[in-house]
């Protein structure tokens, strides 16, 4: 497994931007597909975005498509989530996840082998 640590969360006004980072250690980062998930109070954890090992394939939830961008830097063992045009409904704890199989990362019911501890994102109206 790979160890994951998220950072970059915080409080932002609606319409603003944040960039989340997830640093990985412990295994060969480039061998893993990566994903971002979020969980709002009282709600189930939901899929946000995923990226394959090379960065050449990405998938987004409909709710964030066109506003969020997932990327990765394999030299830095880090995956990013750039969040623009934030809305109050984006408020949640954001988690990164990793799995060797991209199909697992994009399937919330089975994802994933490794998870971070989460970072809080709060969007005020």
């Amino acid at each position: 497994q790979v160890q994951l640590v998220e950072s970059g969360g915080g409080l932002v006004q609606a319409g603003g931007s944040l960039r989340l980072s997830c640093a990985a250690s412990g295994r060969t980062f480039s061998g893993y597909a990566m994903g971002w998930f979020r969980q709002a109070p009282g709600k189930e954890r939901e899929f946000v975005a995923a990226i394959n090992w090379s960065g050449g394939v990405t998938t987004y939830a409909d709710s964030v498509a066109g506003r969020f961008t997932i990327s990765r830097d394999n030299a830095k063992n880090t995956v990013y989530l750039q969040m623009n045009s934030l809305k109050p409904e984006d408020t949640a704890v954001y988690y990164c996840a990793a799995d060797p199989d991209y199909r697992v990362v994009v399937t919330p019911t089975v994802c994933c082998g490794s998870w971070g501890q989460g970072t809080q994102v709060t969007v005020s109206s």
Side-chain angles (χ1 to χ4, degrees), residues 2-6 22 45 94-98 114-119:
V2 63
Q3 287 74 51
L4 305 172
V5 179
E6 302 97 333
C22 175
R45 186 158 54 190
Y94 283 71
Y95 299 89
C96 69
S114 300
W115 290 88
Q117 84 289 348
T119 185

Side-chain angles (χ1 to χ4, degrees), residues 68-88:
F68 291 10
T69 302
I70 189 170
S71 62
R72 66 189 296 160
D73 185 337
N74 287 344
K76 295 183 178 180
N77 290 356
T78 302
V79 63
Y80 305 97
L81 186 68
Q82 178 66 44
M83 305 186 294
N84 298 329
S85 302
L86 283 161
K87 305 175 181 180

Side-chain angles (χ1 to χ4, degrees), residues 29-104:
F29 178 69
S30 60
Y32 286 80
M34 302 294 297
W36 286 97
F37 292 74
R38 66 187 182 186
Q39 187 167 20
K43 296 186 177 181
E44 293 187 353
R45 186 158 54 190
E46 65 173 351
F47 170 79
V48 175
I51 189 166
N52 78 329
W53 69 274
S54 69
V57 178
T58 57
T59 305
Y60 295 93
D62 290 344
S63 58
V64 306
R67 299 188 298 123
F68 291 10
T69 302
I70 189 170
S71 62
R72 66 189 296 160
D73 185 337
N74 287 344
K76 295 183 178 180
N77 290 356
T78 302
V79 63
Y80 305 97
L81 186 68
Q82 178 66 44
M83 305 186 294
N84 298 329
S85 302
L86 283 161
K87 305 175 181 180
E89 51 263 43
D90 294 318
T91 295
V93 177
Y94 283 71
Y95 299 89
C96 69
D99 198 277
D101 192 334
Y102 187 76
R103 296 169 298 178
V104 170

Side-chain angles (χ1 to χ4, degrees), residues 98-122:
D99 198 277
D101 192 334
Y102 187 76
R103 296 169 298 178
V104 170
V105 176
V106 297
T107 308
T109 54
V110 300
C111 180
C112 285
S114 300
W115 290 88
Q117 84 289 348
T119 185
Q120 176 71 46
V121 171
T122 303

